[in-house]
Short mmCIF file of all heavy atoms in Angstrom, two decimals:
data_model
loop_
_atom_site.label_atom_id
_atom_site.label_comp_id
_atom_site.label_asym_id
_atom_site.label_seq_id
_atom_site.Cartn_x
_atom_site.Cartn_y
_atom_site.Cartn_z
N MET V 47 134.30 100.50 149.64
CA MET V 47 135.10 99.29 149.64
C MET V 47 136.60 99.61 149.55
O MET V 47 137.41 98.70 149.72
CB MET V 47 134.69 98.40 148.47
CG MET V 47 133.30 97.86 148.61
SD MET V 47 132.83 96.70 147.34
CE MET V 47 134.13 95.51 147.40
N MET V 48 136.94 100.86 149.21
CA MET V 48 138.35 101.19 149.14
C MET V 48 138.56 102.65 149.59
O MET V 48 137.63 103.42 149.61
CB MET V 48 138.90 101.01 147.72
CG MET V 48 138.19 101.87 146.68
SD MET V 48 138.83 101.64 145.02
CE MET V 48 138.80 99.88 144.85
N GLU V 49 139.79 102.94 149.93
CA GLU V 49 140.07 104.30 150.38
C GLU V 49 140.21 105.24 149.20
O GLU V 49 140.50 104.80 148.08
CB GLU V 49 141.31 104.33 151.25
CG GLU V 49 142.55 103.86 150.58
CD GLU V 49 143.73 103.75 151.55
OE1 GLU V 49 143.51 103.51 152.74
OE2 GLU V 49 144.85 103.90 151.08
N HIS V 50 140.00 106.54 149.47
CA HIS V 50 140.15 107.58 148.47
C HIS V 50 141.22 108.56 148.91
O HIS V 50 141.04 109.25 149.91
CB HIS V 50 138.84 108.34 148.28
CG HIS V 50 137.69 107.53 147.83
ND1 HIS V 50 137.48 107.16 146.52
CD2 HIS V 50 136.68 106.98 148.54
CE1 HIS V 50 136.38 106.43 146.45
NE2 HIS V 50 135.88 106.30 147.66
N PRO V 51 142.33 108.63 148.22
CA PRO V 51 143.32 109.69 148.50
C PRO V 51 142.87 110.98 147.80
O PRO V 51 143.05 111.15 146.60
CB PRO V 51 144.62 109.14 147.91
CG PRO V 51 144.21 108.10 146.92
CD PRO V 51 142.82 107.67 147.22
N ILE V 52 142.24 111.84 148.58
CA ILE V 52 141.65 113.09 148.04
C ILE V 52 142.66 114.22 148.09
O ILE V 52 143.20 114.53 149.15
CB ILE V 52 140.38 113.46 148.82
CG1 ILE V 52 139.33 112.33 148.77
CG2 ILE V 52 139.79 114.76 148.28
CD1 ILE V 52 138.81 112.05 147.38
N HIS V 53 142.90 114.83 146.94
CA HIS V 53 143.92 115.87 146.81
C HIS V 53 143.28 117.20 146.41
O HIS V 53 142.63 117.28 145.38
CB HIS V 53 144.94 115.44 145.76
CG HIS V 53 146.11 116.37 145.63
ND1 HIS V 53 147.07 116.16 144.68
CD2 HIS V 53 146.48 117.48 146.29
CE1 HIS V 53 147.98 117.12 144.78
NE2 HIS V 53 147.64 117.93 145.75
N LEU V 54 143.48 118.21 147.23
CA LEU V 54 143.10 119.57 146.87
C LEU V 54 144.38 120.32 146.52
O LEU V 54 145.24 120.53 147.39
CB LEU V 54 142.38 120.25 148.05
CG LEU V 54 142.06 121.75 147.89
CD1 LEU V 54 141.17 121.98 146.68
CD2 LEU V 54 141.40 122.28 149.17
N HIS V 55 144.49 120.70 145.28
CA HIS V 55 145.68 121.41 144.81
C HIS V 55 145.69 122.86 145.30
O HIS V 55 144.64 123.47 145.44
CB HIS V 55 145.73 121.42 143.28
CG HIS V 55 146.04 120.09 142.68
ND1 HIS V 55 147.12 119.90 141.84
CD2 HIS V 55 145.42 118.90 142.80
CE1 HIS V 55 147.12 118.64 141.46
NE2 HIS V 55 146.12 118.01 142.01
N GLY V 56 146.87 123.41 145.54
CA GLY V 56 147.05 124.84 145.76
C GLY V 56 146.71 125.36 147.13
O GLY V 56 147.03 126.50 147.43
N LEU V 57 146.01 124.56 147.95
CA LEU V 57 145.58 125.03 149.26
C LEU V 57 145.89 123.94 150.28
O LEU V 57 145.83 122.75 149.97
CB LEU V 57 144.07 125.30 149.26
CG LEU V 57 143.58 126.30 148.21
CD1 LEU V 57 142.05 126.20 148.07
CD2 LEU V 57 144.00 127.70 148.56
N TRP V 58 146.20 124.34 151.50
CA TRP V 58 146.45 123.36 152.56
C TRP V 58 145.14 122.97 153.24
O TRP V 58 144.22 123.78 153.38
CB TRP V 58 147.38 123.96 153.62
CG TRP V 58 148.77 124.15 153.12
CD1 TRP V 58 149.36 125.33 152.74
CD2 TRP V 58 149.76 123.13 152.95
NE1 TRP V 58 150.65 125.09 152.35
CE2 TRP V 58 150.92 123.77 152.45
CE3 TRP V 58 149.77 121.76 153.14
CZ2 TRP V 58 152.08 123.06 152.18
CZ3 TRP V 58 150.93 121.05 152.86
CH2 TRP V 58 152.07 121.70 152.39
N SER V 59 145.07 121.72 153.67
CA SER V 59 143.91 121.19 154.39
C SER V 59 144.38 120.80 155.78
O SER V 59 145.32 120.02 155.95
CB SER V 59 143.33 119.96 153.68
OG SER V 59 142.86 120.30 152.39
N GLU V 60 143.69 121.36 156.80
CA GLU V 60 144.01 121.01 158.19
C GLU V 60 143.01 119.98 158.69
O GLU V 60 141.84 120.30 158.87
CB GLU V 60 143.97 122.26 159.07
CG GLU V 60 144.24 121.96 160.54
CD GLU V 60 144.10 123.19 161.42
OE1 GLU V 60 144.21 124.34 160.94
OE2 GLU V 60 143.86 122.99 162.62
N LEU V 61 143.48 118.77 158.87
CA LEU V 61 142.60 117.67 159.29
C LEU V 61 142.18 117.88 160.73
O LEU V 61 143.01 118.05 161.61
CB LEU V 61 143.36 116.35 159.15
CG LEU V 61 142.61 115.07 159.57
CD1 LEU V 61 141.38 114.88 158.67
CD2 LEU V 61 143.55 113.88 159.48
N GLU V 62 140.86 117.92 160.95
CA GLU V 62 140.35 118.10 162.31
C GLU V 62 140.28 116.72 162.98
O GLU V 62 139.30 115.99 162.82
CB GLU V 62 138.97 118.75 162.27
CG GLU V 62 139.00 120.18 161.79
CD GLU V 62 137.66 120.84 161.86
OE1 GLU V 62 136.75 120.41 161.12
OE2 GLU V 62 137.52 121.77 162.66
N ASN V 63 141.33 116.38 163.69
CA ASN V 63 141.36 115.05 164.33
C ASN V 63 141.41 115.17 165.85
O ASN V 63 141.79 114.22 166.54
CB ASN V 63 142.53 114.23 163.80
CG ASN V 63 143.88 114.79 164.20
OD1 ASN V 63 143.96 115.85 164.81
ND2 ASN V 63 144.94 114.08 163.83
N GLY V 64 141.09 116.36 166.37
CA GLY V 64 141.02 116.52 167.82
C GLY V 64 142.34 116.84 168.50
O GLY V 64 142.41 116.87 169.72
N GLN V 65 143.39 117.11 167.72
CA GLN V 65 144.71 117.37 168.28
C GLN V 65 145.05 118.85 168.39
O GLN V 65 146.18 119.22 168.65
CB GLN V 65 145.79 116.63 167.49
CG GLN V 65 145.62 115.12 167.47
CD GLN V 65 145.60 114.50 168.85
OE1 GLN V 65 146.47 114.76 169.67
NE2 GLN V 65 144.57 113.71 169.14
N GLY V 66 144.03 119.69 168.09
CA GLY V 66 144.23 121.12 168.25
C GLY V 66 145.37 121.67 167.42
O GLY V 66 145.39 121.53 166.20
N ALA V 67 146.35 122.28 168.10
CA ALA V 67 147.48 122.89 167.41
C ALA V 67 148.33 121.85 166.66
O ALA V 67 149.17 122.21 165.85
CB ALA V 67 148.37 123.65 168.39
N TYR V 68 148.10 120.57 166.95
CA TYR V 68 148.90 119.50 166.30
C TYR V 68 148.12 118.79 165.21
O TYR V 68 148.55 117.75 164.72
CB TYR V 68 149.38 118.49 167.35
CG TYR V 68 150.23 119.14 168.40
CD1 TYR V 68 149.70 119.43 169.66
CD2 TYR V 68 151.55 119.49 168.14
CE1 TYR V 68 150.49 120.05 170.63
CE2 TYR V 68 152.34 120.10 169.08
CZ TYR V 68 151.80 120.39 170.34
OH TYR V 68 152.56 120.99 171.28
N ASN V 69 146.99 119.37 164.79
CA ASN V 69 146.26 118.78 163.67
C ASN V 69 147.18 118.73 162.45
O ASN V 69 147.85 119.71 162.15
CB ASN V 69 145.02 119.62 163.34
CG ASN V 69 143.88 119.43 164.32
OD1 ASN V 69 143.88 118.49 165.09
ND2 ASN V 69 142.91 120.31 164.28
N PRO V 70 147.20 117.63 161.74
CA PRO V 70 148.05 117.55 160.55
C PRO V 70 147.56 118.47 159.43
O PRO V 70 146.36 118.62 159.23
CB PRO V 70 147.97 116.09 160.11
CG PRO V 70 146.89 115.46 160.91
CD PRO V 70 146.51 116.37 162.03
N VAL V 71 148.51 119.09 158.75
CA VAL V 71 148.20 119.97 157.62
C VAL V 71 148.75 119.30 156.37
O VAL V 71 149.95 119.01 156.30
CB VAL V 71 148.85 121.36 157.84
CG1 VAL V 71 148.56 122.26 156.65
CG2 VAL V 71 148.34 122.01 159.13
N LYS V 72 147.87 119.05 155.39
CA LYS V 72 148.24 118.20 154.27
C LYS V 72 147.65 118.71 152.95
O LYS V 72 146.73 119.53 152.97
CB LYS V 72 147.76 116.77 154.51
CG LYS V 72 148.17 116.23 155.90
CD LYS V 72 147.64 114.86 156.10
CE LYS V 72 148.59 113.94 155.39
NZ LYS V 72 148.47 112.52 155.77
N HIS V 73 148.18 118.18 151.86
CA HIS V 73 147.56 118.40 150.56
C HIS V 73 146.63 117.27 150.19
O HIS V 73 145.63 117.46 149.51
CB HIS V 73 148.62 118.54 149.46
CG HIS V 73 149.27 119.87 149.36
ND1 HIS V 73 148.58 121.01 149.00
CD2 HIS V 73 150.53 120.27 149.62
CE1 HIS V 73 149.41 122.03 149.02
NE2 HIS V 73 150.60 121.62 149.40
N THR V 74 146.99 116.04 150.58
CA THR V 74 146.20 114.87 150.25
C THR V 74 145.75 114.19 151.52
O THR V 74 146.56 113.94 152.43
CB THR V 74 147.03 113.89 149.40
OG1 THR V 74 147.45 114.56 148.20
CG2 THR V 74 146.23 112.65 149.03
N LEU V 75 144.45 113.89 151.60
CA LEU V 75 143.87 113.25 152.78
C LEU V 75 143.32 111.89 152.35
O LEU V 75 142.67 111.77 151.32
CB LEU V 75 142.73 114.09 153.35
CG LEU V 75 143.13 115.48 153.86
CD1 LEU V 75 141.90 116.33 154.15
CD2 LEU V 75 143.98 115.35 155.12
N ILE V 76 143.56 110.87 153.16
CA ILE V 76 143.07 109.54 152.88
C ILE V 76 141.70 109.37 153.54
O ILE V 76 141.60 109.47 154.78
CB ILE V 76 144.04 108.46 153.40
CG1 ILE V 76 145.46 108.70 152.88
CG2 ILE V 76 143.53 107.06 153.03
CD1 ILE V 76 145.61 108.61 151.38
N VAL V 77 140.68 109.10 152.74
CA VAL V 77 139.34 108.85 153.29
C VAL V 77 139.12 107.34 153.27
O VAL V 77 139.12 106.72 152.20
CB VAL V 77 138.26 109.58 152.47
CG1 VAL V 77 136.88 109.34 153.07
CG2 VAL V 77 138.56 111.08 152.39
N GLN V 78 138.93 106.76 154.47
CA GLN V 78 138.74 105.32 154.58
C GLN V 78 137.34 104.93 154.14
O GLN V 78 136.41 105.75 154.19
CB GLN V 78 139.00 104.89 156.03
CG GLN V 78 140.40 105.15 156.54
CD GLN V 78 141.45 104.36 155.78
OE1 GLN V 78 141.20 103.25 155.31
NE2 GLN V 78 142.64 104.94 155.64
N PRO V 79 137.16 103.68 153.72
CA PRO V 79 135.83 103.24 153.26
C PRO V 79 134.76 103.48 154.30
O PRO V 79 134.96 103.16 155.49
CB PRO V 79 136.03 101.75 153.02
CG PRO V 79 137.50 101.56 152.81
CD PRO V 79 138.16 102.62 153.65
N GLY V 80 133.65 104.02 153.88
CA GLY V 80 132.49 104.22 154.76
C GLY V 80 132.71 105.25 155.85
O GLY V 80 131.96 105.27 156.83
N SER V 81 133.70 106.10 155.72
CA SER V 81 133.98 107.07 156.76
C SER V 81 133.89 108.51 156.20
O SER V 81 133.75 108.72 155.00
CB SER V 81 135.37 106.85 157.35
OG SER V 81 136.37 107.18 156.40
N LYS V 82 133.95 109.46 157.11
CA LYS V 82 133.93 110.87 156.77
C LYS V 82 135.12 111.56 157.43
O LYS V 82 135.57 111.10 158.48
CB LYS V 82 132.65 111.54 157.28
CG LYS V 82 131.38 110.99 156.69
CD LYS V 82 130.18 111.70 157.30
CE LYS V 82 128.88 111.10 156.77
NZ LYS V 82 127.70 111.72 157.40
N LEU V 83 135.57 112.64 156.81
CA LEU V 83 136.61 113.46 157.39
C LEU V 83 136.10 114.89 157.50
O LEU V 83 135.24 115.30 156.73
CB LEU V 83 137.86 113.51 156.52
CG LEU V 83 138.70 112.26 156.35
CD1 LEU V 83 139.87 112.57 155.42
CD2 LEU V 83 139.18 111.75 157.68
N SER V 84 136.65 115.62 158.44
CA SER V 84 136.39 117.05 158.54
C SER V 84 137.73 117.75 158.51
O SER V 84 138.67 117.37 159.20
CB SER V 84 135.66 117.35 159.86
OG SER V 84 135.47 118.74 160.01
N TYR V 85 137.84 118.78 157.64
CA TYR V 85 139.08 119.52 157.57
C TYR V 85 138.77 120.97 157.23
O TYR V 85 137.72 121.31 156.69
CB TYR V 85 140.08 118.91 156.62
CG TYR V 85 139.60 118.68 155.21
CD1 TYR V 85 139.88 119.60 154.20
CD2 TYR V 85 138.91 117.53 154.86
CE1 TYR V 85 139.47 119.38 152.91
CE2 TYR V 85 138.49 117.31 153.58
CZ TYR V 85 138.77 118.22 152.60
OH TYR V 85 138.36 118.03 151.32
N LEU V 86 139.71 121.81 157.60
CA LEU V 86 139.60 123.25 157.38
C LEU V 86 140.53 123.65 156.25
O LEU V 86 141.65 123.16 156.15
CB LEU V 86 140.01 124.01 158.64
CG LEU V 86 139.22 123.67 159.90
CD1 LEU V 86 139.87 124.34 161.12
CD2 LEU V 86 137.78 124.08 159.79
N VAL V 87 140.03 124.56 155.39
CA VAL V 87 140.85 125.08 154.30
C VAL V 87 140.76 126.61 154.35
O VAL V 87 139.66 127.17 154.41
CB VAL V 87 140.31 124.59 152.94
CG1 VAL V 87 141.09 125.25 151.80
CG2 VAL V 87 140.41 123.07 152.86
N SER V 88 141.90 127.25 154.35
CA SER V 88 141.96 128.70 154.20
C SER V 88 142.07 129.00 152.71
O SER V 88 143.10 128.71 152.10
CB SER V 88 143.14 129.29 154.95
OG SER V 88 142.99 129.11 156.34
N ALA V 89 141.01 129.56 152.14
CA ALA V 89 140.98 129.85 150.71
C ALA V 89 141.67 131.17 150.46
O ALA V 89 141.05 132.17 150.17
CB ALA V 89 139.54 129.83 150.21
N ASP V 90 143.01 131.14 150.57
CA ASP V 90 143.78 132.39 150.54
C ASP V 90 144.64 132.50 149.28
O ASP V 90 145.45 133.41 149.18
CB ASP V 90 144.65 132.51 151.79
CG ASP V 90 145.54 131.30 152.00
OD1 ASP V 90 145.51 130.35 151.16
OD2 ASP V 90 146.26 131.26 153.01
N THR V 91 144.48 131.62 148.34
CA THR V 91 145.24 131.67 147.11
C THR V 91 144.28 131.65 145.93
O THR V 91 143.74 130.60 145.58
CB THR V 91 146.21 130.48 147.02
OG1 THR V 91 146.98 130.41 148.21
CG2 THR V 91 147.13 130.62 145.82
N PRO V 92 144.03 132.82 145.30
CA PRO V 92 143.07 132.86 144.21
C PRO V 92 143.51 131.97 143.04
O PRO V 92 144.69 131.82 142.75
CB PRO V 92 143.09 134.33 143.79
CG PRO V 92 143.58 135.08 144.99
CD PRO V 92 144.57 134.15 145.65
N GLY V 93 142.49 131.39 142.40
CA GLY V 93 142.77 130.57 141.23
C GLY V 93 141.76 129.46 141.08
O GLY V 93 140.80 129.37 141.82
N LEU V 94 142.01 128.64 140.07
CA LEU V 94 141.22 127.44 139.83
C LEU V 94 142.06 126.26 140.27
O LEU V 94 143.16 126.05 139.74
CB LEU V 94 140.87 127.31 138.34
CG LEU V 94 140.10 128.49 137.71
CD1 LEU V 94 139.97 128.30 136.21
CD2 LEU V 94 138.73 128.62 138.37
N TRP V 95 141.55 125.47 141.22
CA TRP V 95 142.34 124.40 141.81
C TRP V 95 141.67 123.04 141.59
O TRP V 95 140.47 122.92 141.83
CB TRP V 95 142.55 124.65 143.30
CG TRP V 95 143.25 125.94 143.56
CD1 TRP V 95 142.71 127.09 144.04
CD2 TRP V 95 144.61 126.25 143.28
NE1 TRP V 95 143.65 128.10 144.11
CE2 TRP V 95 144.83 127.58 143.63
CE3 TRP V 95 145.67 125.50 142.76
CZ2 TRP V 95 146.08 128.22 143.48
CZ3 TRP V 95 146.91 126.13 142.63
CH2 TRP V 95 147.10 127.45 142.99
N ALA V 96 142.45 122.08 141.20
CA ALA V 96 141.95 120.74 141.01
C ALA V 96 141.65 120.13 142.39
O ALA V 96 142.39 120.34 143.36
CB ALA V 96 142.96 119.87 140.28
N TYR V 97 140.54 119.39 142.47
CA TYR V 97 140.13 118.69 143.69
C TYR V 97 139.66 117.32 143.23
O TYR V 97 138.66 117.19 142.53
CB TYR V 97 138.97 119.50 144.32
CG TYR V 97 138.47 118.97 145.63
CD1 TYR V 97 139.30 118.75 146.69
CD2 TYR V 97 137.10 118.73 145.80
CE1 TYR V 97 138.81 118.30 147.90
CE2 TYR V 97 136.59 118.27 147.00
CZ TYR V 97 137.46 118.06 148.07
OH TYR V 97 136.96 117.63 149.25
N HIS V 98 140.43 116.29 143.61
CA HIS V 98 140.16 114.98 143.00
C HIS V 98 140.68 113.84 143.86
O HIS V 98 141.55 114.02 144.73
CB HIS V 98 140.84 114.92 141.64
CG HIS V 98 142.35 115.00 141.72
ND1 HIS V 98 143.13 113.90 141.75
CD2 HIS V 98 143.19 116.06 141.81
CE1 HIS V 98 144.41 114.26 141.85
NE2 HIS V 98 144.46 115.58 141.88
N CYS V 99 140.16 112.66 143.56
CA CYS V 99 140.72 111.42 144.08
C CYS V 99 141.93 111.07 143.21
O CYS V 99 141.94 111.32 142.00
CB CYS V 99 139.67 110.31 144.00
SG CYS V 99 140.28 108.71 144.62
N HIS V 100 142.99 110.51 143.82
CA HIS V 100 144.17 110.17 143.05
C HIS V 100 144.05 108.89 142.22
O HIS V 100 144.90 108.62 141.39
CB HIS V 100 145.37 110.00 144.00
CG HIS V 100 146.17 111.27 144.13
ND1 HIS V 100 147.10 111.67 143.20
CD2 HIS V 100 146.14 112.23 145.08
CE1 HIS V 100 147.63 112.83 143.60
NE2 HIS V 100 147.06 113.19 144.73
N LEU V 101 142.98 108.12 142.45
CA LEU V 101 142.80 106.91 141.66
C LEU V 101 142.24 107.29 140.30
O LEU V 101 141.16 107.89 140.21
CB LEU V 101 141.88 105.93 142.37
CG LEU V 101 142.39 105.50 143.78
CD1 LEU V 101 141.37 104.58 144.42
CD2 LEU V 101 143.75 104.84 143.69
N LEU V 102 142.96 106.92 139.23
CA LEU V 102 142.59 107.38 137.89
C LEU V 102 141.16 106.95 137.51
O LEU V 102 140.41 107.73 136.94
CB LEU V 102 143.57 106.81 136.87
CG LEU V 102 144.98 107.42 136.95
CD1 LEU V 102 145.90 106.73 135.95
CD2 LEU V 102 144.96 108.93 136.70
N TYR V 103 140.78 105.71 137.86
CA TYR V 103 139.44 105.29 137.46
C TYR V 103 138.37 105.98 138.27
O TYR V 103 137.23 106.09 137.83
CB TYR V 103 139.32 103.77 137.50
CG TYR V 103 139.71 103.08 138.78
CD1 TYR V 103 138.75 102.73 139.71
CD2 TYR V 103 141.04 102.81 139.06
CE1 TYR V 103 139.12 102.11 140.88
CE2 TYR V 103 141.40 102.21 140.23
CZ TYR V 103 140.45 101.85 141.14
OH TYR V 103 140.80 101.25 142.31
N HIS V 104 138.70 106.48 139.48
CA HIS V 104 137.72 107.28 140.22
C HIS V 104 137.56 108.64 139.57
O HIS V 104 136.46 109.19 139.49
CB HIS V 104 138.14 107.42 141.68
CG HIS V 104 137.98 106.16 142.47
ND1 HIS V 104 138.27 106.06 143.80
CD2 HIS V 104 137.56 104.93 142.08
CE1 HIS V 104 138.03 104.84 144.23
NE2 HIS V 104 137.63 104.14 143.19
N MET V 105 138.67 109.21 139.09
CA MET V 105 138.56 110.49 138.37
C MET V 105 137.68 110.32 137.15
O MET V 105 136.83 111.17 136.86
CB MET V 105 139.95 111.00 137.97
CG MET V 105 140.75 111.57 139.12
SD MET V 105 142.21 112.40 138.54
CE MET V 105 143.41 111.08 138.71
N ASP V 106 137.87 109.21 136.41
CA ASP V 106 137.05 108.96 135.23
C ASP V 106 135.58 108.85 135.58
O ASP V 106 134.69 109.12 134.76
CB ASP V 106 137.50 107.68 134.53
CG ASP V 106 138.82 107.85 133.81
OD1 ASP V 106 139.24 109.00 133.58
OD2 ASP V 106 139.44 106.82 133.48
N LEU V 107 135.28 108.41 136.80
CA LEU V 107 133.88 108.26 137.26
C LEU V 107 133.32 109.54 137.88
O LEU V 107 132.22 109.52 138.40
CB LEU V 107 133.78 107.08 138.23
CG LEU V 107 134.06 105.72 137.60
CD1 LEU V 107 134.13 104.63 138.68
CD2 LEU V 107 133.00 105.35 136.58
N GLY V 108 134.08 110.62 137.86
CA GLY V 108 133.54 111.90 138.31
C GLY V 108 134.19 112.50 139.55
O GLY V 108 133.79 113.57 139.98
N MET V 109 135.14 111.79 140.13
CA MET V 109 135.76 112.35 141.33
C MET V 109 136.90 113.29 140.97
O MET V 109 138.04 113.12 141.41
CB MET V 109 136.26 111.23 142.26
CG MET V 109 135.11 110.39 142.81
SD MET V 109 135.63 109.14 144.00
CE MET V 109 135.93 110.17 145.41
N PHE V 110 136.56 114.25 140.12
CA PHE V 110 137.51 115.29 139.73
C PHE V 110 136.69 116.56 139.53
O PHE V 110 135.80 116.61 138.67
CB PHE V 110 138.25 114.95 138.43
CG PHE V 110 139.40 115.87 138.14
CD1 PHE V 110 140.71 115.42 138.27
CD2 PHE V 110 139.19 117.18 137.74
CE1 PHE V 110 141.76 116.28 138.01
CE2 PHE V 110 140.24 118.04 137.51
CZ PHE V 110 141.55 117.57 137.63
N ARG V 111 136.96 117.58 140.33
CA ARG V 111 136.21 118.83 140.26
C ARG V 111 137.20 120.01 140.35
O ARG V 111 138.39 119.82 140.61
CB ARG V 111 135.24 118.94 141.45
CG ARG V 111 134.11 117.92 141.42
CD ARG V 111 133.16 118.24 140.27
NE ARG V 111 131.99 117.40 140.28
CZ ARG V 111 131.83 116.33 139.51
NH1 ARG V 111 132.80 115.97 138.70
NH2 ARG V 111 130.73 115.61 139.55
N THR V 112 136.68 121.20 140.13
CA THR V 112 137.48 122.41 140.23
C THR V 112 136.96 123.23 141.39
O THR V 112 135.77 123.43 141.54
CB THR V 112 137.37 123.23 138.94
OG1 THR V 112 137.81 122.45 137.85
CG2 THR V 112 138.23 124.50 139.02
N VAL V 113 137.89 123.70 142.24
CA VAL V 113 137.57 124.61 143.32
C VAL V 113 138.00 126.02 142.85
O VAL V 113 139.13 126.20 142.40
CB VAL V 113 138.31 124.24 144.63
CG1 VAL V 113 138.14 125.31 145.70
CG2 VAL V 113 137.80 122.90 145.14
N VAL V 114 137.09 126.97 142.91
CA VAL V 114 137.36 128.33 142.49
C VAL V 114 137.56 129.20 143.73
O VAL V 114 136.66 129.26 144.58
CB VAL V 114 136.20 128.89 141.64
CG1 VAL V 114 136.49 130.34 141.20
CG2 VAL V 114 135.93 128.01 140.44
N VAL V 115 138.72 129.85 143.80
CA VAL V 115 138.99 130.81 144.87
C VAL V 115 139.14 132.17 144.18
O VAL V 115 140.01 132.35 143.33
CB VAL V 115 140.26 130.46 145.65
CG1 VAL V 115 140.56 131.52 146.72
CG2 VAL V 115 140.15 129.07 146.26
N SER V 116 138.26 133.10 144.53
CA SER V 116 138.31 134.43 143.87
C SER V 116 138.23 135.52 144.91
O SER V 116 137.97 135.31 146.07
CB SER V 116 137.19 134.58 142.86
OG SER V 116 135.92 134.43 143.50
CU1 LIG K 260 138.78 107.42 145.01
#
């Protein structure tokens, strides 16, 4: 019913939108209601990175995780 601004800290996300070399590279991707996104991430920065929706009440409901790059 609402969009999710999904943020992966520390790593860039390349949105696969069919534009090839012009695919947008972002930290936060907006996921529209009832839709899916595909994006590429180069896990080239070791660490523990937050991966979450920017809406606070969504984080409280579990949309906050840690991505481990080792
Ligand atoms: Cu959300």
Side-chain angles (χ1 to χ4, degrees):
M47 294 184 54
M48 60 180 51
E49 60 187 28
H50 299 279
I52 301 295
H53 185 184
L54 173 59
H55 288 238
L57 304 165
W58 291 103
S59 298
E60 178 184 337
L61 180 63
E62 292 185 294
N63 67 356
Q65 299 303 309
Y68 300 102
N69 284 345
V71 179
K72 309 179 81 164
H73 280 294
T74 300
L75 298 168
I76 307 297
V77 182
Q78 298 297 329
S81 69
K82 298 177 183 178
L83 292 180
S84 176
Y85 55 97
L86 303 171
V87 175
S88 295
D90 55 1
T91 308
L94 302 174
W95 301 107
Y97 183 55
H98 64 94
C99 179
H100 266 279
L101 301 178
L102 292 176
Y103 53 98
H104 288 182
M105 285 190 265
D106 287 343
L107 293 172
M109 295 184 76
F110 191 109
R111 294 289 187 261
T112 301
V113 171
V114 179
V115 178
S116 59

